[in-house]
Amino acid sequence: LLISRRGGVIPYIEKKISSGSRKFNLPYRCPFCSTGKPEIRGEFLYCTELEECCGARVEGLRYFIENVGCDGFGPVVVHTLWTKKIVQEPIDFWKLTEDSFCGLSIPKKIVKNLLANLAEFKSFSLETVLCAMGIDGLGSVTSKAVARKFKSLKALLEAHAEKFIEIDGIGEKQAGSIVSGLEKVRGWLDPFEDLIEIPEENSGGIFDGKSFLFTGTLSSWTRSEAEKAVEKLHSILPRQMFVTKIQGKALNRIIASRTIQAFRKDVTG
């Protein structure tokens, strides 16, 4: 089946596709590094030598710098910086100076723009950094939940898989994948906090750790306005001694429902 996303949310079956007669053969070697052998993981092809594959490393650097919101670092620039061993890890972007670009055939105007862009991004939320690392299991929603759980980079790096499993929606397999991914980037992530200020996440309130989905058409708000309203409520409403039922409605239809459990009396002491 050929399925598309209508309105960015609703899946729609476009048509039925018949199976082809031609057999697909996996490439014997990775087309980027010519060392690793491609293998299928889920729906994608991966190089078996990700740590050494130039294609994977360059795309990882591009993914990070784009997802923290810093513009200008296109594939050619990032590939050039990587092959010249100037930028090997995301942390290296913030070590760049004008001298770093000497002999790289990159126009001075572009260099100044790149350095100016970097200068504007020296403070990130923990959620932004987590999402930009490209670790399996750390998408935008999970990154937000993880940031609210651990609140700081130091606490995050010291956590074991059991702590991640405590987060609603994260299972044992996903927790293991996150811990493994964090361990691989620890080398450049440890000094990251020294070079770039990562403010600690604020937490608290009855919505802490909860996810909300807005779908359909809201009669008086845009979806963006509705999401901002929930974030504001999350930061100001205290948890109660009674169960709280939360419902989101659009055109008189309930489109989201959550139950916030009450505080429980501590009788262990």
Side-chain angles (χ1 to χ4, degrees):
L1 298 176
L2 177 62
I3 301 176
S4 64
R5 268 174 45 167
R6 295 292 178 93
V9 177
I10 303 172
Y12 180 80
I13 299 177
E14 299 285 354
K15 63 180 180 180
K16 182 179 179 180
I17 302 175
S18 301
S19 299
S21 57
R22 242 172 54 176
K23 183 181 178 180
F24 173 74
N25 295 314
L26 290 177
Y28 184 71
R29 294 294 182 190
C30 172
F32 290 99
C33 66
S34 300
T35 303
K37 185 177 181 179
E39 64 179 14
I40 298 176
R41 299 180 190 172
E43 300 178 353
F44 301 95
L45 277 176
Y46 284 82
C47 176
T48 54
E49 302 292 337
L50 287 179
E51 295 299 318
E52 303 299 328
C53 179
C54 61
R57 296 293 301 277
V58 169
E59 285 304 309
L61 291 169
R62 283 190 60 220
Y63 185 86
F64 185 92
I65 199 69
E66 288 179 3
N67 278 271
V68 297
C70 191
D71 298 327
F73 287 89
V76 175
V77 173
V78 176
H79 185 269
T80 301
L81 292 172
W82 189 84
T83 54
K84 296 295 184 181
K85 300 188 181 301
I86 297 171
V87 173
Q88 298 292 289
E89 305 290 354
I91 187 73
D92 296 332
F93 282 111
W94 282 270
K95 298 177 181 178
L96 293 172
T97 64
E98 288 191 18
D99 292 339
S100 304
F101 293 88
C102 290
L104 298 186
S105 301
I106 298 177
K108 289 185 178 180
K109 185 176 181 180
I110 294 179
V111 171
K112 288 184 178 180
N113 289 337
L114 292 175
L115 295 176
N117 290 341
L118 286 169
E120 293 180 7
F121 290 90
K122 288 197 174 182
S123 179
F124 305 104
S125 67
L126 181 57
E127 172 195 339
T128 299
V129 175
L130 291 177
C131 190
M133 288 190 291
I135 293 175
D136 285 344
L138 269 182
S140 58
V141 174
T142 305
S143 293
K144 181 176 290 188
V146 169
R148 286 176 176 169
K149 167 74 173 178
F150 297 105
K151 303 179 182 64
S152 72
L153 187 59
K154 181 180 179 182
L156 174 70
L157 293 175
E158 293 175 350
H160 299 288
E162 291 77 12
K163 288 294 183 180
F164 288 91
I165 296 174
E166 293 176 1
I167 300 173
D168 186 35
I170 296 182
E172 185 177 344
K173 183 177 180 180
Q174 186 178 4
S177 177
I178 292 172
V179 171
S180 175
L182 288 172
E183 189 61 34
K184 289 179 181 178
V185 301
R186 177 183 287 274
W188 65 261
L189 199 55
D190 275 335
F192 199 87
E193 195 168 21
D194 296 332
L195 188 63
I196 300 174
E197 178 187 357
I198 304 179
E200 290 196 358
E201 298 288 326
N202 293 322
S203 64
I206 62 175
F207 297 120
D208 193 28
K210 303 299 177 183
S211 299
F212 296 85
L213 170 66
F214 290 90
T215 186
T217 303
L218 302 177
S219 57
S220 60
W221 279 346
T222 64
R223 187 168 310 187
S224 177
E225 289 171 336
E227 290 173 347
K228 288 180 180 178
V230 169
E231 289 296 331
K232 186 174 182 180
L233 286 172
H234 160 265
S235 64
I236 63 176
L237 288 179
R239 196 174 183 183
Q240 305 294 337
M241 295 300 295
F242 49 84
V243 174
T244 305
K245 187 78 173 179
I246 303 171
Q247 293 180 334
K249 297 180 67 176
L251 300 179
N252 293 321
R253 293 177 56 196
I254 297 175
I255 60 174
S257 179
R258 296 288 188 275
T259 299
I260 309 299
Q261 299 299 326
F263 276 123
R264 295 181 181 180
K265 186 176 181 180
D266 185 3
V267 296
T268 60

